């Protein structure tokens, strides 16, 4: 639901609509740096479903390397200046990096404060220089943490260096409901710029005949970020066991080498796993996605391991305008 929430914010900005109670404004442009969601099967359909203007959404997909048409995915801090150029060219008001952990360069240790701060400091300076808000998405750690400040994966520097940090969680009172019927909560973890806003409730709902969900705000909740973190820490052991099982299954599928993402999706469905849970699992165990070819005939290959960043510096960025991507149905995805 975090990705739906961030894309709802993006959609509202592109239409000049209120965001969490803010005043209406002129439509603004948004830049996405996404490592888990496909443009045609996820990003474009969701922007459309959420009422956004796809002509104002730009996706930083890759940077060109060398002279043979090779590309690599963006990483930070290496590609901050490429991102700066995109923000300035399109006058973007918001940059969403989802998930932030996948955007770290191979020399960055996500568990060491000093290493993480080399990334967050550059992104913070970028935000100050351009006036764009940089929003990074992280996953919660398994098993929970002592408080909400430490609930996210990796170093606490991710939160410590941010101006504002929030936590998104399922409503703990809805544990007996199916996942798609449970309310969600957005709670403030820290805010260096103002008082903590109240926790807000929302739900995801799917209009009949539509594949992708929409977001509906439901009002405020007395629950704090620490309340939600405590509830997450007490999540049923079987839920954590299911995540471990998916991770072991995916490692086995990829044990012999790279596999086309479409083939992985077929195997995933045959094994009874949900498409979205597969993407979360892939990120959690460090699966790398390598794009082969270009245009309609390209393939996305998944593999376990670490790909060395090419020594040749990137020459230019590959930016896709979401409006130029035709949405596809879920059965065609990945």
């Amino acid at each position: 639901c975090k990705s739906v929430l961030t894309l709802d914010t993006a959609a509202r900005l592109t239409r000049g609509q209120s965001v969490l109670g803010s005043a209406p404004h002129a439509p603004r442009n948004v830049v996405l740096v996404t490592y888990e969601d496909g443009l045609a099967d996820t990003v474009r359909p969701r922007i459309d479903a959420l009422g956004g203007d796809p002509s104002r959404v730009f996706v930083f997909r890759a940077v060109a390397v060398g002279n043979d048409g090779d590309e690599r995915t963006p990483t930070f801090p290496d590609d901050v200046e490429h991102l700066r150029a995109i923000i300035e060219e399109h006058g973007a008001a918001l940059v969403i990096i989802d998930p932030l952990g996948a955007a770290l360069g191979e020399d960055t240790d996500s568990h060491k404060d000093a290493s993480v701060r080399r990334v967050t400091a550059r992104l913070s300076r970028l935000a100050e220089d351009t006036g764009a808000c940089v929003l990074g998405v992280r996953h919660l750690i398994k098993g929970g943490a002592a408080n909400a400040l430490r609930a996210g994966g990796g170093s606490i520097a991710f939160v410590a260096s941010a101006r504002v940090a929030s936590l998104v969680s399922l409503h703990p009172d809805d544990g007996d409901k199916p996942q798609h019927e449970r309310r969600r909560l957005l709670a403030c973890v820290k805010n260096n710029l103002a008082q903590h806003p109240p926790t807000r409730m929302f739900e995801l709902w799917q209009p009949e005949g539509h594949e992708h969900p929409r977001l509906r705000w439901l009002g405020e909740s007395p629950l704090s970020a620490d309340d939600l973190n405590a509830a997450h820490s007490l999540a049923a052991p079987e839920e954590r066991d299911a995540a471990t099982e998916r991770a072991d299954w995916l490692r086995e599928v990829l044990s012999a080498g790279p596999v086309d993402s479409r083939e992985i999706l077929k195997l995933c469905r045959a094994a009874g796993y949900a498409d979205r849970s597969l993407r979360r699992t892939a990120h959690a165990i460090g699966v790398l996605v390598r794009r082969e070819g270009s245009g309609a005939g390209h393939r996305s290959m998944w593999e376990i391991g670490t790909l060395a960043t090419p020594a040749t510096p990137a020459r230019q960025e590959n930016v896709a305008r979401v409006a130029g991507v035709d949405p596809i149905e879920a059965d065609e995805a990945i």
Side-chain angles (χ1 to χ4, degrees):
C1 66
K2 296 184 293 297
S3 294
V4 177
L5 177 60
T6 55
L7 286 181
D8 180 73
T9 301
R12 288 172 177 272
L13 281 175
T14 65
R15 293 294 187 187
Q17 297 171 342
S18 171
V19 178
L20 293 176
S22 67
H25 50 82
R28 301 297 302 274
N29 291 343
V30 176
V31 174
L32 303 181
V33 189
T34 179
Y35 298 86
E36 295 184 350
D37 295 329
L39 269 64
D41 66 298
T42 303
V43 175
R44 175 63 194 267
R46 281 184 176 174
I47 290 292
D48 289 343
L50 295 166
D53 180 354
S55 71
R56 290 187 171 275
V57 181
F58 301 85
V59 180
F60 182 13
R61 304 183 67 182
V63 290
V65 178
N67 300 312
D68 298 324
D70 293 334
E71 293 181 334
R72 61 172 173 80
T73 55
T75 59
F76 303 106
D78 299 337
D79 297 319
V80 165
E81 293 309 310
H82 289 284
L83 181 56
R84 180 192 299 273
I86 297 168
I87 294 171
E88 293 176 346
E89 178 181 355
H90 300 292
L94 173 66
V95 177
I96 299 173
I97 304 176
D98 184 9
L100 184 56
L104 303 179
E106 63 175 7
D107 294 331
T108 300
D109 187 333
S110 64
H111 295 279
K112 292 185 177 179
D113 288 8
S115 187
V116 168
R117 285 182 182 275
R118 282 195 289 270
V119 178
T120 57
R122 292 285 302 279
L123 292 174
S124 177
R125 180 62 180 271
L126 174 69
E128 292 177 4
D129 292 347
T130 63
C133 171
V134 177
L135 172 60
V137 177
R138 291 193 301 155
H139 299 297
L140 298 178
I141 60 175
K142 302 299 180 184
N147 56 59
L149 282 170
R150 296 183 177 275
S155 166
I156 195 175
F158 284 112
V159 172
S161 58
R163 297 294 183 268
V164 178
S166 300
L167 183 147
V168 179
S169 174
L170 293 168
H171 200 301
D173 292 345
D174 292 351
D176 58 342
K177 296 182 179 179
Q179 182 91 349
H180 67 280
E181 293 182 4
R182 296 179 67 177
R183 291 169 293 173
R184 272 74 171 171
L185 295 160
L186 173 66
C188 182
V189 175
K190 64 169 285 190
N191 191 330
N192 290 348
L193 306 177
Q195 292 184 341
H196 282 211
T199 297
R200 296 174 180 266
M201 290 188 295
F202 65 95
E203 66 179 357
L204 304 182
W205 64 285
Q206 219 152 333
E208 186 176 352
H210 292 267
E211 178 67 31
H212 291 270
R214 299 179 185 181
L215 187 148
R216 180 160 49 204
W217 293 101
L218 302 175
E220 298 179 0
S221 167
L223 295 173
S224 68
D226 280 337
D227 293 333
L228 300 179
N229 179 63
H232 171 74
S233 300
L234 296 174
E238 57 267 24
E239 292 183 13
R240 295 196 292 271
D241 290 344
T244 301
E245 179 185 313
R246 284 196 306 270
D248 291 342
W249 175 85
L250 185 54
R251 287 191 183 96
E252 182 177 351
V253 169
L254 298 175
S255 61
V259 180
D260 189 302
S261 59
R262 292 180 184 270
E263 180 62 25
I264 292 175
L265 185 57
K266 292 178 183 177
L267 295 172
C268 167
R269 291 172 175 172
Y273 298 125
D275 300 356
R276 292 173 185 171
S277 65
L278 178 66
R279 289 185 180 277
R280 291 195 298 270
T281 301
H283 173 63
I285 67 174
V287 169
L288 295 165
V289 180
R290 176 165 48 82
R291 183 186 176 95
E292 291 186 351
S294 59
H298 84 276
R299 296 195 307 167
S300 294
M301 306 298 292
W302 286 25
E303 61 185 313
I304 294 287
T306 301
L307 290 176
T309 301
T312 306
R315 296 180 292 103
Q316 61 185 23
E317 61 275 357
N318 178 340
V319 182
R321 185 190 292 268
V322 170
V325 178
D326 292 327
I328 61 176
E329 299 299 323
D331 288 344
E332 303 175 64
I334 320 188

Short mmCIF file of all heavy atoms in Angstrom, two decimals, residues 4-5 8 12 50 180 182-185 200-207 213-219:
data_model
loop_
_atom_site.label_atom_id
_atom_site.label_comp_id
_atom_site.label_asym_id
_atom_site.label_seq_id
_atom_site.Cartn_x
_atom_site.Cartn_y
_atom_site.Cartn_z
N VAL A 4 1.00 2.68 -3.51
CA VAL A 4 -0.26 3.31 -3.89
C VAL A 4 -0.37 4.68 -3.23
O VAL A 4 -0.80 5.67 -3.85
CB VAL A 4 -1.46 2.43 -3.49
CG1 VAL A 4 -2.78 3.14 -3.81
CG2 VAL A 4 -1.41 1.09 -4.20
N LEU A 5 0.05 4.77 -1.97
CA LEU A 5 -0.01 6.04 -1.24
C LEU A 5 0.89 7.09 -1.90
O LEU A 5 0.48 8.24 -2.10
CB LEU A 5 0.39 5.82 0.22
CG LEU A 5 0.44 7.07 1.10
CD1 LEU A 5 -0.93 7.74 1.17
CD2 LEU A 5 0.91 6.70 2.50
N ASP A 8 -0.57 8.13 -5.17
CA ASP A 8 -1.74 8.98 -4.97
C ASP A 8 -1.29 10.42 -4.73
O ASP A 8 -1.89 11.37 -5.26
CB ASP A 8 -2.56 8.48 -3.78
CG ASP A 8 -3.78 9.35 -3.52
OD1 ASP A 8 -4.73 9.27 -4.32
OD2 ASP A 8 -3.78 10.10 -2.53
N ARG A 12 -2.17 13.56 -7.23
CA ARG A 12 -2.79 14.79 -6.76
C ARG A 12 -1.95 16.01 -7.15
O ARG A 12 -2.50 17.06 -7.54
CB ARG A 12 -2.98 14.74 -5.24
CG ARG A 12 -4.08 13.78 -4.81
CD ARG A 12 -4.12 13.61 -3.30
NE ARG A 12 -5.23 12.76 -2.91
CZ ARG A 12 -6.45 13.18 -2.66
NH1 ARG A 12 -6.73 14.48 -2.76
NH2 ARG A 12 -7.41 12.35 -2.32
N LEU A 50 -5.81 6.60 -10.17
CA LEU A 50 -5.81 7.60 -9.10
C LEU A 50 -6.12 9.01 -9.59
O LEU A 50 -6.10 9.96 -8.82
CB LEU A 50 -4.44 7.58 -8.39
CG LEU A 50 -4.12 6.28 -7.64
CD1 LEU A 50 -2.64 6.23 -7.26
CD2 LEU A 50 -5.00 6.14 -6.40
N HIS A 180 -7.36 -7.16 1.77
CA HIS A 180 -7.83 -6.06 0.93
C HIS A 180 -8.92 -5.23 1.60
O HIS A 180 -9.25 -4.13 1.12
CB HIS A 180 -8.35 -6.60 -0.42
CG HIS A 180 -9.58 -7.43 -0.32
ND1 HIS A 180 -9.55 -8.76 0.05
CD2 HIS A 180 -10.89 -7.13 -0.52
CE1 HIS A 180 -10.77 -9.25 0.06
NE2 HIS A 180 -11.60 -8.28 -0.28
N ARG A 182 -8.79 -4.42 4.98
CA ARG A 182 -8.25 -3.79 6.17
C ARG A 182 -7.94 -2.32 5.94
O ARG A 182 -7.47 -1.92 4.88
CB ARG A 182 -6.99 -4.52 6.65
CG ARG A 182 -7.26 -5.95 7.08
CD ARG A 182 -6.00 -6.65 7.53
NE ARG A 182 -5.46 -6.08 8.76
CZ ARG A 182 -4.39 -6.56 9.40
NH1 ARG A 182 -3.74 -7.61 8.90
NH2 ARG A 182 -3.95 -6.00 10.50
N ARG A 183 -8.23 -1.50 6.94
CA ARG A 183 -7.88 -0.09 6.87
C ARG A 183 -6.36 0.06 7.03
O ARG A 183 -5.69 -0.78 7.61
CB ARG A 183 -8.59 0.68 7.97
CG ARG A 183 -10.09 0.79 7.80
CD ARG A 183 -10.73 1.34 9.06
NE ARG A 183 -10.59 0.40 10.17
CZ ARG A 183 -10.94 0.67 11.43
NH1 ARG A 183 -11.45 1.85 11.74
NH2 ARG A 183 -10.79 -0.25 12.38
N ARG A 184 -5.85 1.17 6.49
CA ARG A 184 -4.44 1.50 6.61
C ARG A 184 -4.29 2.79 7.43
O ARG A 184 -5.23 3.59 7.52
CB ARG A 184 -3.80 1.73 5.24
CG ARG A 184 -3.26 0.48 4.57
CD ARG A 184 -4.30 -0.42 4.01
NE ARG A 184 -3.72 -1.49 3.21
CZ ARG A 184 -4.39 -2.52 2.74
NH1 ARG A 184 -5.68 -2.64 2.98
NH2 ARG A 184 -3.79 -3.45 2.02
N LEU A 185 -3.09 2.99 7.98
CA LEU A 185 -2.83 4.17 8.79
C LEU A 185 -1.52 4.82 8.34
O LEU A 185 -0.53 4.13 8.06
CB LEU A 185 -2.75 3.82 10.27
CG LEU A 185 -4.06 3.31 10.90
CD1 LEU A 185 -3.78 2.56 12.18
CD2 LEU A 185 -5.00 4.47 11.18
N ARG A 200 -3.60 9.48 10.18
CA ARG A 200 -4.75 9.46 9.26
C ARG A 200 -5.03 8.04 8.79
O ARG A 200 -4.11 7.28 8.53
CB ARG A 200 -4.48 10.36 8.05
CG ARG A 200 -4.34 11.84 8.41
CD ARG A 200 -3.93 12.64 7.20
NE ARG A 200 -3.80 14.05 7.49
CZ ARG A 200 -4.75 14.97 7.31
NH1 ARG A 200 -5.92 14.59 6.83
NH2 ARG A 200 -4.54 16.23 7.61
N MET A 201 -6.31 7.72 8.66
CA MET A 201 -6.74 6.41 8.16
C MET A 201 -7.10 6.51 6.69
O MET A 201 -7.63 7.52 6.24
CB MET A 201 -7.95 5.90 8.93
CG MET A 201 -7.68 5.50 10.36
SD MET A 201 -9.14 4.70 11.10
CE MET A 201 -10.31 6.06 11.11
N PHE A 202 -6.81 5.43 5.96
CA PHE A 202 -7.27 5.35 4.58
C PHE A 202 -7.53 3.90 4.22
O PHE A 202 -7.15 2.98 4.95
CB PHE A 202 -6.26 5.99 3.62
CG PHE A 202 -4.92 5.29 3.54
CD1 PHE A 202 -4.66 4.35 2.54
CD2 PHE A 202 -3.90 5.59 4.44
CE1 PHE A 202 -3.42 3.73 2.44
CE2 PHE A 202 -2.66 4.96 4.35
CZ PHE A 202 -2.42 4.04 3.35
N GLU A 203 -8.18 3.71 3.11
CA GLU A 203 -8.44 2.36 2.62
C GLU A 203 -8.20 2.31 1.12
O GLU A 203 -8.24 3.34 0.43
CB GLU A 203 -9.87 1.92 2.93
CG GLU A 203 -10.94 2.72 2.19
CD GLU A 203 -12.35 2.23 2.50
OE1 GLU A 203 -12.48 1.24 3.24
OE2 GLU A 203 -13.31 2.85 1.99
N LEU A 204 -7.92 1.11 0.64
CA LEU A 204 -7.78 0.88 -0.79
C LEU A 204 -9.06 0.22 -1.27
O LEU A 204 -9.51 -0.76 -0.66
CB LEU A 204 -6.58 -0.01 -1.09
CG LEU A 204 -5.22 0.48 -0.55
CD1 LEU A 204 -4.12 -0.49 -0.96
CD2 LEU A 204 -4.91 1.88 -1.01
N TRP A 205 -9.64 0.74 -2.33
CA TRP A 205 -10.87 0.15 -2.85
C TRP A 205 -10.76 0.02 -4.36
O TRP A 205 -10.08 0.78 -5.02
CB TRP A 205 -12.09 0.97 -2.45
CG TRP A 205 -12.11 2.35 -3.03
CD1 TRP A 205 -11.36 3.41 -2.64
CD2 TRP A 205 -12.93 2.82 -4.11
NE1 TRP A 205 -11.65 4.51 -3.40
CE2 TRP A 205 -12.60 4.19 -4.31
CE3 TRP A 205 -13.90 2.23 -4.92
CZ2 TRP A 205 -13.22 4.96 -5.30
CZ3 TRP A 205 -14.51 3.00 -5.90
CH2 TRP A 205 -14.17 4.34 -6.08
N GLN A 206 -11.41 -0.98 -4.86
CA GLN A 206 -11.30 -1.33 -6.26
C GLN A 206 -12.67 -1.23 -6.93
O GLN A 206 -13.55 -2.05 -6.69
CB GLN A 206 -10.76 -2.75 -6.43
CG GLN A 206 -9.80 -2.88 -7.58
CD GLN A 206 -8.80 -3.99 -7.36
OE1 GLN A 206 -8.47 -4.35 -6.24
NE2 GLN A 206 -8.33 -4.54 -8.43
N PRO A 207 -12.87 -0.21 -7.77
CA PRO A 207 -14.15 -0.10 -8.47
C PRO A 207 -14.40 -1.35 -9.33
O PRO A 207 -13.46 -1.94 -9.86
CB PRO A 207 -13.97 1.14 -9.34
CG PRO A 207 -12.85 1.91 -8.70
CD PRO A 207 -11.95 0.87 -8.11
N PRO A 213 -6.27 -0.48 -7.63
CA PRO A 213 -7.02 0.14 -6.54
C PRO A 213 -6.94 1.66 -6.55
O PRO A 213 -6.05 2.26 -7.15
CB PRO A 213 -6.33 -0.43 -5.29
CG PRO A 213 -4.92 -0.66 -5.72
CD PRO A 213 -5.01 -1.10 -7.16
N ARG A 214 -7.89 2.25 -5.85
CA ARG A 214 -7.88 3.68 -5.58
C ARG A 214 -7.80 3.89 -4.07
O ARG A 214 -8.01 2.95 -3.30
CB ARG A 214 -9.14 4.33 -6.16
CG ARG A 214 -9.23 4.17 -7.67
CD ARG A 214 -10.46 4.79 -8.26
NE ARG A 214 -10.55 4.49 -9.69
CZ ARG A 214 -11.52 4.91 -10.48
NH1 ARG A 214 -12.50 5.65 -9.99
NH2 ARG A 214 -11.52 4.59 -11.77
N LEU A 215 -7.48 5.10 -3.67
CA LEU A 215 -7.27 5.38 -2.26
C LEU A 215 -8.36 6.32 -1.75
O LEU A 215 -8.70 7.29 -2.41
CB LEU A 215 -5.88 6.00 -2.08
CG LEU A 215 -5.39 6.22 -0.64
CD1 LEU A 215 -3.87 6.05 -0.58
CD2 LEU A 215 -5.75 7.64 -0.18
N ARG A 216 -8.88 6.00 -0.55
CA ARG A 216 -9.93 6.84 0.03
C ARG A 216 -9.57 7.13 1.50
O ARG A 216 -9.33 6.22 2.28
CB ARG A 216 -11.27 6.11 -0.04
CG ARG A 216 -12.44 6.89 0.55
CD ARG A 216 -13.77 6.38 0.02
NE ARG A 216 -13.88 4.93 0.11
CZ ARG A 216 -14.69 4.20 -0.67
NH1 ARG A 216 -15.41 4.80 -1.61
NH2 ARG A 216 -14.77 2.89 -0.52
N TRP A 217 -9.50 8.43 1.84
CA TRP A 217 -9.18 8.83 3.21
C TRP A 217 -10.41 8.70 4.09
O TRP A 217 -11.53 9.02 3.66
CB TRP A 217 -8.64 10.25 3.22
CG TRP A 217 -7.31 10.37 2.55
CD1 TRP A 217 -7.05 10.83 1.29
CD2 TRP A 217 -6.06 9.98 3.10
NE1 TRP A 217 -5.71 10.74 1.01
CE2 TRP A 217 -5.06 10.23 2.10
CE3 TRP A 217 -5.65 9.45 4.32
CZ2 TRP A 217 -3.72 9.95 2.31
CZ3 TRP A 217 -4.30 9.18 4.53
CH2 TRP A 217 -3.35 9.43 3.53
N LEU A 218 -10.20 8.27 5.34
CA LEU A 218 -11.33 7.95 6.23
C LEU A 218 -11.38 8.81 7.48
O LEU A 218 -12.29 8.64 8.30
CB LEU A 218 -11.24 6.47 6.65
CG LEU A 218 -11.25 5.45 5.52
CD1 LEU A 218 -11.03 4.05 6.09
CD2 LEU A 218 -12.56 5.51 4.75
N GLY A 219 -10.43 9.67 7.70
CA GLY A 219 -10.42 10.48 8.92
C GLY A 219 -9.19 10.22 9.76
O GLY A 219 -8.20 9.63 9.30
#
